[in-house]
Amino acid sequence: RMSASLVSWARSAGAASVAWGVGDLLCQSLEKAPDWDRERTGQFVFVGFTVLGPASHGFELMNERLFPGNAMRAVAQKVLARVCCAPAFLSLSFGGLALVRGQDVVESVAANVLPAWGTGVLFWPAVAAVSYRFVPLQGRPAFGSVVGALWSSYLSFRAHTTTPGATLSWPKPPTPPPRPLR
């Protein structure tokens, strides 16, 4: 079982901060930002370490205590709990970012939580089901962080869609050279 020791909490916080930092870097590369915005990435790392890592760790401990094991019923209950608690975690995410940026927290939460939750409902239940069924409790922070890096890139984009000119574009394949006329 995952211990409630300081080391395990710090490990979860570290995993979340890395996932959030990598997610923002991925988002910035997809946005084709001319330069790496270190301050923006630092804000993501800070919120991941100080807010989301500890909150996620506590949530996973609580979820495992309420619905122990990896039988299908327990997995379904954990997934449902995660889906129901997601708006609170998204509020922490967007609120934390707004706070460190000196932006209006209520406005950021109101503008971003519902759209992000709608997208997350399509993404996280399948990931959570795999995690709760097949990944031991001690390995869930690492597993969640790897998958969370992808999710964090979406959250980074979502948090910056109000920035003028922010667009997300996947790399395009090279255009073949024109064929010579015969």
Side-chain angles (χ1 to χ4, degrees), residues 77-164:
Q77 290 170 319
K78 290 174 194 176
V79 169
L80 182 60
R82 182 181 275 252
V83 169
C84 291
C85 291
F89 278 89
L90 290 167
S91 295
L92 287 172
S93 301
F94 291 113
L97 285 169
L99 190 63
V100 299
R101 293 177 175 159
Q103 298 170 342
D104 187 297
V105 172
V106 173
E107 183 179 304
S108 178
V109 168
N112 291 301
V113 169
L114 191 57
W117 184 72
T119 302
V121 166
L122 302 174
F123 179 75
W124 280 110
V127 171
V130 168
S131 176
Y132 292 134
R133 180 80 172 119
F134 301 109
V135 179
L137 185 58
Q138 311 86 283
R140 288 183 198 152
F143 176 80
S145 292
V146 170
V147 178
L150 296 173
W151 178 245
S152 297
S153 66
Y154 166 75
L155 292 180
S156 177
F157 175 71
R158 181 85 217 148
H160 294 93
T161 54
T162 57
T163 304

Side-chain angles (χ1 to χ4, degrees), residues 12-50:
S12 294
S17 67
V18 168
W20 268 56
V22 168
D24 181 64
L25 286 171
L26 177 62
C27 182
Q28 286 188 49
S29 70
L30 293 173
E31 289 173 342
K32 298 187 180 196
D35 294 313
W36 173 32
D37 185 344
R38 287 176 172 82
E39 182 178 2
R40 173 177 147 174
T41 302
Q43 292 165 343
F44 269 77
V45 169
F46 179 78
V47 170
F49 188 81
T50 60

Side-chain angles (χ1 to χ4, degrees), residues 63 67-79 132:
N63 215 9
F67 313 112
N70 64 350
M72 292 308 289
R73 179 179 171 93
V75 168
Q77 290 170 319
K78 290 174 194 176
V79 169
Y132 292 134

